[in-house]
Amino acid sequence: MLVIACVKQVPDTTQVKIDPDTGTLIREGVPFIANPYDTNALEESLRLKDKYGFRAVVISMGPPNTVVTLRKALALGTDRAVLLSDRVYGGADTLATSFVLAEAIKRLAQEEEVAMVICGKQTIDGDTAQVGPGIATRLNYSQLTLVDQILNVDLKAKKVKVRRKLEGRHEIVEAPLPAMIAVVREINRPRYPTVPMRLKSEITDVSIWDNKFMNLPEELVGLKGSPTLVRKIFSPQRAKGEILGDGANMPKEAAHLLIDTLIQKDILAV
Amino acid sequence: MNPVSDLGAVGYILFWGLTALAAGVFLFRGYQLFRLISLGRRSEKFGHLVKRAFTALGHVIIQKCQFKNITRKDRGGVSHLFIAWGFLFFVTYYFFFIIIASGFGISDVMEKTKIYGYYTWVMDFVAPFIVIGTLWAIIRRYIVKPARLKGQQTAEALIILITVLIHPITHVGKIATQIAAGHPPAGLGILTPALSTAVSHLYTNAATIAKWHSFWFWSHWVFVLVVLGMIAYTRYLHIIAGALNDLLRRTPPKGTPERIDLNDPSSFGVDRVDNFAWKQLLDSVSCVVCGYCQEICPAAITGKKLNPRLVIRDIKTNMLKNGPFITKKQAPVLPLIGNDQEGSVPEEAIWACTTCGGCMEVCPVYIEHAWEIIDMRRHLVQMQAKFPDELLNLFENTEQRSNPWGIAPADRAKWASGIETKPFEAGKTEYLFYVGCAGAFDARNRHISLAIARILDAAGISWGILGKDELCCGDSLRRLGNEYVFDRIAKDNIKMFQDRGVKKIITECPHCFHTLKNDYHQYGADWEVIHHAEFIRGLIKEKRLKLNGNGDLGKVLIHDSCYLGRHNGIYEAPREVLAQAINHAPTEMKRSLNRSFCCGAGGGHMWMEENVGKRINHERVEEALKEDPRTICVCCPYCMTMFEDGIKDLKAGEKVQVLDLAEIVAQALQ
Ligand SMILES: Cc1cc2nc3c(=O)[nH]c(=O)nc-3n(C[C@H](O)[C@H](O)[C@@H](O)COP(=O)(O)OP(=O)(O)OC[C@H]3O[C@@H](n4cnc5c(N)ncnc54)[C@H](O)[C@@H]3O)c2cc1C
Ligand code: SF4
Ligand code: SF4
């Protein structure tokens, strides 16, 4: 049985700067990383592999350089990596992305039964948190979001029991397999790769599935298949707020100034 | 007179039989140990064997191992000097005047030679010295019991000391009865002639005296042979293993672990004793259990699980226990890394080392504890991905963003946003100022970077920086056992330096200094790397800097950082610069120079929690506060952080400030 982790490669947003003139992101020279939530999704898939003996697969849709991120997944113990990469997939929104991913999962399911698809809760660049649910809907899988613990997988009864982390409460939910599980970061601590695994991952093939292979209608993928239109990206003007004192060199004074100002503005009471 | 030939053929059979037996026992064990040690991995190559042999022999003769450690507080080494020097005389004596003279029945001829005469004369003084030295050692170990020898009142040690005590006595008995029997050697001292007179008074019968002589001779020789056998089986072994360990010492660069071979997984780390390099196994059998290492170790002193002496003992025990199985290609029975059992090194101990190098500095037989510890860390990190939780961020951040905090690399040049700096360009700038992560990102340490910049400008130096292209040097990762990532960082840095034509590098941090200079040297890098303390000293010497002897720093205390001092031998430069900057010599701490005490941040500990025992920086700051300084001078950004934190914790911030040498110099610029 397969457990499939969906991993997106995203720009390292701590290093993304906004161009002050155009208001757009300066992506040039910014390194790519695995979407942080997805490192937890991946880790959870590996834990399920360790515990239940699933075969772990990682899939991603993205440009060819995503191979680097997928190799890291292989170094952590994933058995197989599949990259969906084709020019026609570019510019996809959540609808088109979930379509291609779901189609890829279908192909994998033809080879071996899929138990679970694990996604991150959201990405740090698109931030929509829609792709996971999109996949579940398209494949008609159980949809378990905001999961912070997988409590039990019952392979005989084909059921999974998870805990969902909601505001101020937890929810324990049981659902039939196959299931799509979108995880929050608290679910686990990602592992670190060993050197032999890193070396092995360097010589393991990443399957690259282009659209010739996938054979999906072009009007349903990429920009063409995306009803979302990005009109403008901009950073909101700072309406309020000011920089008080010189925190770097005189932190004490700056802190005093801050407290005084907050008291003046009636935000703090003495 | 020859008690051997006196017994005729029986005498020779007895003499050579016993001698061969002891030699056999000795050689058998020697072979066994050789087999065990050769289970180890091949080591780095080393050359100059003849030169090394002379050096090692010289060290044995002058007993350098002892002089390293004789201090006003600890004079234990003096007793060892008496014994060791005496022993050297005895060994020569046995060879010529017992084995050759008595064993081949030519003692009557040899006894008449001048050289024998001189030798006996000398031995007359040597023998009592050994007795005094040994009695002293017994009293120290079993009555005075200094901390260094805590728990070392073992039966083995006592038996060894007693044999050391008895053999010169039997020698004296042998000579005294020989003289009394009318066969005085050609030269005589004071002791044996006096004793011989007593013997002559006691026994008038020549035959009785001859019998006594025979008794002393045989008991003396049997004792010597017993010791020969014991050398191979007890701590006596250090006589041979210690000298060998000196002879086969790893070649510099000092203070660096060996590289790993990415094609050979057995070199990725050590969790089986046969994964150590053979030299490290030789280390383990060389230990004399003197305890100097545990006495200087900051981890041991502050109550951590680590005791460098026990690490070495455990490696040895493990080798003796598992060796026979490994030789037969069977699995080891005792884990090397694991529990509290003797022969296993606890994981907690492996993580507690700050790689301060104290142990290696004082070890009389040149054991390299820290690199053995790093080899075990390598196993944990590289083969098992098992390490203290807090290191995950460090590893990811350094790999991903090339700095320990994971701050955006684009912010690397921010420290210099208020000043004018040039990018390093070969031909246009002479020196690369390699700022390092702490100097670039840490708010406090950025002031040191600015101070260095000011000094360089004041001296008219042509310098540049790499700005946001600068990468982490990888020191912490390497000392934490993450050699794979370090290897990549090192190669990236070296490539960048080569591409940009970097030839001379000034560093702010001793860790960067050590890494760029010594660790990268293992990759063939041969640029000039200078720490700012040395560079500033040069500028002052060349009169390119004028300092005005700043007065308002109060009493200035100096702290030696491990990676400048012990690992690189730079002690004088910061002191000389300070003396110029403040117009007088700085105050020394109780533990200073090569016996300095770590700030607690080395070996990756800058990024680790310290929950067990006393905090190392508290121990050091307390020591500093005893001198009642107004200013503590450091030369390292890590020391800066550890001292400032310690001072804050101990609520001494009002009284004491911590300044880097560069800051003091910048303040004193005219
Ligand atoms: C307002 C808006 C602006 C956009 N701007 C741009 C833009 O400027 N440039 C651009 O290229 N795209 C842009 N997009 C497209 C968008 O960023 C993604 O490509 C989108 O399809 C994926 O959604 P998400 O990143 O929000 O993922 P989420 O729905 O937040 O992701 C949830 C989980 O789904 C999985 N997942 C998501 N994407 C993938 C993938 N590709 N491969 C594998 N697993 C995946 C991961 O497990 C992830 O944790 C924009 C989208 C929107 C809505
Ligand atoms: S290097 Fe320092 S901390 Fe490590 S074992 Fe030696 S003395 Fe102790
Ligand atoms: S390791 Fe060196 S310093 Fe430590 S006890 Fe052994 S011989 Fe002495």
Side-chain angles (χ1 to χ4, degrees):
Chain A
M1 278 231 246
L2 297 182
V3 55
I4 301 174
C6 297
V7 173
K8 185 184 181 186
Q9 176 170 288
V10 295
D12 186 352
T13 45
T14 54
Q15 301 191 38
V16 175
K17 295 266 154 12
I18 310 275
D19 187 324
D21 300 327
T22 61
T24 52
L25 304 180
I26 310 172
R27 292 190 171 218
E28 200 184 305
V30 175
F32 288 95
I33 56 170
N35 176 38
Y37 288 89
D38 300 356
T39 60
N40 300 96
L42 182 69
E43 173 64 27
E44 203 54 30
S45 76
L46 296 173
R47 290 189 185 192
L48 290 167
K49 168 188 164 169
D50 295 344
K51 197 160 171 196
Y52 299 102
F54 298 131
R55 255 164 50 79
V57 181
V58 59
I59 62 171
S60 181
M61 184 178 91
N65 68 12
T66 310
V67 170
V68 181
T69 297
L70 293 184
R71 286 214 188 287
K72 282 191 188 145
L74 289 169
L76 291 171
T78 300
D79 299 298
R80 181 175 183 191
V82 176
L83 172 60
L84 299 144
S85 191
D86 197 305
R87 275 186 175 267
V88 296
Y89 296 162
D93 68 0
T94 57
L95 199 70
T97 304
S98 61
F99 174 63
V100 177
L101 291 174
E103 288 300 317
I105 293 167
K106 273 189 200 160
R107 275 190 180 258
L108 290 167
Q110 281 166 11
E111 292 171 24
E112 194 171 341
E113 191 182 343
V114 174
M116 275 171 272
V117 172
I118 319 274
C119 289
K121 175 187 157 208
Q122 70 196 71
T123 61
I124 56 167
D125 62 342
D127 260 330
T128 66
Q130 290 176 1
V131 172
I135 293 172
T137 310
R138 288 177 184 279
L139 295 173
N140 205 15
Y141 283 8
S142 309
Q143 185 179 141
L144 300 165
T145 54
L146 299 173
V147 172
D148 74 347
Q149 218 175 332
I150 297 184
L151 296 165
N152 186 40
V153 182
D154 186 339
L155 287 174
K156 271 212 196 98
K158 297 219 164 176
K159 270 186 185 158
V160 57
K161 204 197 286 178
V162 303
R163 190 174 82 170
R164 301 183 65 225
K165 184 177 179 251
L166 306 169
E167 214 153 297
R169 68 198 149 94
H170 287 296
E171 214 175 76
I172 300 211
V173 187
E174 199 174 45
L177 292 178
M180 189 293 300
I181 295 175
V183 302
V184 294
R185 300 218 65 186
E186 294 84 340
I187 189 164
N188 56 37
R189 258 176 71 87
R191 66 191 65 186
Y192 193 71
T194 64
V195 172
M197 288 296 280
R198 282 195 202 236
L199 295 175
K200 197 175 140 212
S201 77
E202 278 169 22
I203 49 169
T204 308
D205 275 331
V206 172
S207 322
I208 301 187
W209 291 357
D210 56 11
N211 205 36
K212 223 193 246 154
F213 177 82
M214 289 296 290
N215 203 14
L216 303 175
E218 286 197 14
E219 63 279 8
L220 294 182
V221 301
L223 200 57
K224 280 193 201 155
S226 299
T228 314
L229 223 96
V230 181
R231 275 275 169 74
K232 186 179 173 193
I233 297 180
F234 63 98
S235 30
Q237 285 285 315
R238 192 199 292 268
K240 284 187 199 163
E242 58 184 309
I243 291 173
L244 290 174
D246 178 6
N249 295 315
M250 293 187 289
K252 254 193 198 162
E253 288 76 358
H256 280 302
L257 205 59
L258 174 66
I259 292 168
D260 290 346
T261 316
L262 291 178
I263 291 171
Q264 267 170 29
K265 297 201 170 169
D266 239 4
I267 298 169
L268 268 186
V270 196
Chain B
M1 240 187 140
N2 188 349
V4 178
S5 58
D6 288 353
L7 297 179
V10 179
Y12 284 108
I13 291 169
L14 205 58
F15 180 85
W16 284 109
L18 286 174
T19 307
L21 182 69
V25 169
F26 175 82
L27 289 175
F28 171 73
R29 179 61 167 178
Y31 173 70
Q32 248 186 354
L33 288 175
F34 174 79
R35 288 262 321 246
L36 288 177
I37 289 169
S38 52
L39 288 175
R41 263 189 316 109
R42 285 220 211 151
S43 261
E44 282 167 350
K45 284 202 193 98
F46 55 89
H48 310 293
L49 226 90
V50 177
K51 202 173 133 207
R52 281 160 168 276
F54 276 107
T55 317
L57 191 68
H59 285 172
V60 173
I61 291 174
I62 64 161
Q63 286 286 296
K64 184 166 180 239
C65 46
Q66 297 309 316
F67 282 107
K68 260 168 115 171
N69 286 305
I70 294 173
T71 57
R72 211 177 294 169
K73 227 180 78 203
D74 189 342
R75 294 195 182 88
V78 179
S79 63
H80 190 279
L81 282 181
F82 283 18
I83 298 170
W85 278 331
F87 185 79
L88 284 174
F89 277 103
F90 264 100
V91 171
T92 326
Y93 182 88
Y94 300 145
F95 184 74
F96 288 106
F97 304 116
I98 294 192
I99 296 187
I100 294 187
S102 305
F104 290 101
I106 52 170
S107 37
D108 285 341
V109 186
M110 285 190 82
E111 269 164 24
K112 298 203 172 70
T113 59
K114 273 216 173 103
I115 181 92
Y116 180 62
Y118 292 139
Y119 222 93
T120 327
W121 186 85
V122 172
M123 298 288 281
D124 223 31
F125 294 94
V126 168
F129 261 96
I130 296 186
V131 173
I132 294 169
T134 317
L135 286 174
W136 183 353
I138 292 175
I139 291 169
R140 261 180 63 85
R141 186 174 292 257
Y142 292 90
I143 298 169
V144 183
K145 293 190 197 169
R148 175 161 70 77
L149 300 175
K150 208 175 131 211
Q152 288 307 309
Q153 286 68 35
T154 55
E156 184 194 355
L158 190 62
I159 293 170
I160 288 179
L161 285 170
I162 288 174
T163 53
V164 177
L165 184 68
I166 290 179
H167 89 100
I169 295 176
T170 52
H171 166 82
V172 169
K174 176 170 90 83
I175 301 292
T177 46
Q178 184 182 340
I179 300 168
H183 287 267
L188 290 173
I190 301 164
L191 180 68
T192 44
L195 285 173
S196 79
T197 319
V199 174
S200 313
H201 278 296
L202 224 60
Y203 310 103
T204 42
N205 186 334
T208 319
I209 293 177
K211 263 189 200 144
W212 273 110
H213 175 62
S214 185
F215 165 79
W216 284 114
F217 173 88
W218 284 105
S219 57
H220 180 63
W221 191 235
V222 167
F223 240 101
V224 170
L225 295 178
V226 167
V227 169
L228 181 63
M230 278 175 70
I231 287 180
Y233 280 92
T234 64
R235 212 183 288 162
Y236 257 136
L237 186 63
H238 76 273
I239 301 170
I240 291 164
L244 272 179
N245 219 27
D246 183 2
L247 172 75
L248 302 172
R249 240 187 305 168
R250 276 181 58 213
T251 26
K254 212 179 153 193
T256 43
E258 272 190 42
R259 281 182 67 179
I260 61 172
D261 174 2
L262 284 176
N263 295 314
D264 173 15
S266 76
S267 77
F268 292 178
V270 173
D271 77 323
R272 272 171 60 131
V273 74
D274 53 327
N275 274 353
F276 276 121
W278 61 263
K279 172 63 182 57
Q280 296 173 310
L281 298 181
L282 179 61
D283 270 5
S284 78
V285 299
S286 308
C287 175
V288 282
V289 204
C290 64
Y292 285 121
C293 55
Q294 77 189 37
E295 198 186 36
I296 199 170
C297 173
I301 289 174
T302 57
K304 312 293 188 288
K305 196 75 179 246
L306 171 64
N307 177 337
R309 175 177 71 76
L310 295 183
V311 172
I312 300 306
R313 178 204 68 181
D314 288 335
I315 294 173
K316 176 180 170 183
T317 309
N318 196 286
M319 179 182 76
L320 295 178
K321 179 110 195 188
N322 287 328
F325 294 93
I326 296 173
T327 322
K328 282 184 244 149
K329 303 252 178 289
Q330 291 169 1
V333 288
L334 180 67
L336 177 66
I337 301 177
N339 39 38
D340 277 335
Q341 193 180 355
E342 179 175 339
S344 286
V345 186
E347 260 177 57
E348 220 186 304
I350 293 172
W351 290 113
C353 171
T354 69
T355 69
C356 74
C359 50
M360 305 190 275
E361 183 75 24
V362 295
C363 179
V365 290
Y366 305 96
I367 287 172
E368 297 195 304
H369 320 62
W371 316 140
E372 283 151 29
I373 292 171
I374 285 187
D375 273 335
M376 291 185 275
R377 287 184 180 179
R378 284 180 178 171
H379 170 80
L380 291 170
V381 171
Q382 305 200 124
M383 301 301 282
Q384 295 198 353
K386 201 168 167 207
F387 42 78
D389 286 350
E390 61 271 23
L391 292 181
L392 184 66
N393 275 339
L394 171 75
F395 289 167
E396 298 278 12
N397 288 339
T398 312
E399 193 172 352
Q400 197 67 246
R401 303 196 180 123
S402 208
N403 70 77
W405 294 277
I407 300 171
D411 292 351
R412 245 193 206 271
K414 264 195 178 162
W415 67 272
S417 56
I419 61 168
E420 242 183 73
T421 51
K422 288 199 193 89
F424 176 84
E425 249 180 283
K428 290 192 183 152
T429 41
E430 186 182 358
Y431 288 93
L432 165 67
F433 173 26
Y434 181 88
V435 186
C437 302
F441 294 113
D442 179 73
R444 173 65 186 91
N445 285 311
R446 282 178 171 184
H447 292 276
I448 307 177
S449 314
L450 289 171
I452 295 176
R454 249 192 86 198
I455 296 166
L456 296 178
D457 283 340
I461 299 296
S462 149
W463 62 282
I465 55 172
L466 295 169
K468 63 179 175 27
D469 294 342
E470 188 183 285
L471 301 172
C472 173
C473 69
D475 158 74
S476 289
L477 258 54
R478 185 165 215 209
R479 321 277 149 206
L480 286 166
N482 201 335
E483 186 75 4
Y484 177 82
V485 178
F486 167 77
D487 184 75
R488 292 211 309 217
I489 294 177
K491 286 174 180 159
D492 287 348
N493 267 316
I494 290 168
K495 180 160 187 318
M496 174 158 60
F497 288 4
Q498 279 166 349
D499 288 351
R500 300 202 180 183
V502 174
K503 295 254 152 49
K504 298 176 181 177
I505 307 168
I506 302 166
T507 70
E508 170 174 334
C509 167
H511 296 265
C512 302
F513 167 71
H514 183 82
T515 308
L516 300 188
K517 184 174 181 220
N518 300 326
D519 294 61
Y520 289 8
H521 183 77
Q522 292 175 312
Y523 289 77
D526 61 349
W527 32 62
E528 188 185 339
V529 189
I530 322 160
H531 180 265
H532 69 265
E534 279 208 304
F535 194 72
I536 296 172
R537 172 168 71 168
L539 294 178
I540 295 174
K541 269 202 180 137
E542 290 165 25
K543 304 214 176 347
R544 293 176 78 163
L545 275 185
K546 280 217 178 75
L547 305 182
N548 63 8
N550 195 312
D552 58 1
L553 294 174
K555 185 173 180 183
V556 180
L557 199 61
I558 185 164
H559 163 79
D560 286 284
S561 68
C562 307
Y563 276 80
L564 207 54
R566 267 195 294 260
H567 288 305
N568 285 289
I570 299 174
Y571 301 109
E572 288 313 314
R575 288 174 171 75
E576 281 175 26
V577 171
L578 252 188
Q580 293 285 328
I582 59 174
N583 260 350
H584 55 84
T587 309
E588 296 290 344
M589 290 212 211
K590 210 156 190 187
R591 289 176 279 196
S592 71
L593 302 166
N594 67 338
R595 282 159 190 278
S596 176
F597 190 81
C598 180
C599 71
H605 275 245
M606 179 75 185
W607 321 105
M608 289 169 75
E609 310 281 349
E610 191 181 345
N611 301 322
V612 179
K614 186 177 185 180
R615 293 188 63 92
I616 293 178
N617 64 335
H618 289 184
E619 166 87 14
R620 185 59 165 167
V621 168
E622 277 171 15
E623 180 182 351
L625 293 179
K626 277 196 196 127
E627 305 294 333
D628 197 24
R630 169 82 195 94
T631 305
I632 297 172
C633 171
V634 296
C635 295
C636 170
Y638 288 177
C639 296
M640 170 65 80
T641 304
M642 295 317 264
F643 267 93
E644 288 215 321
D645 287 355
I647 286 173
K648 232 176 268 162
D649 293 344
L650 299 175
K651 309 213 172 5
E654 305 285 312
K655 293 195 305 215
V656 196
Q657 60 176 345
V658 191
L659 291 177
D660 187 274
L661 183 71
E663 293 177 300
I664 295 177
V665 171
Q667 278 182 27
L669 284 178
Q670 276 181 354

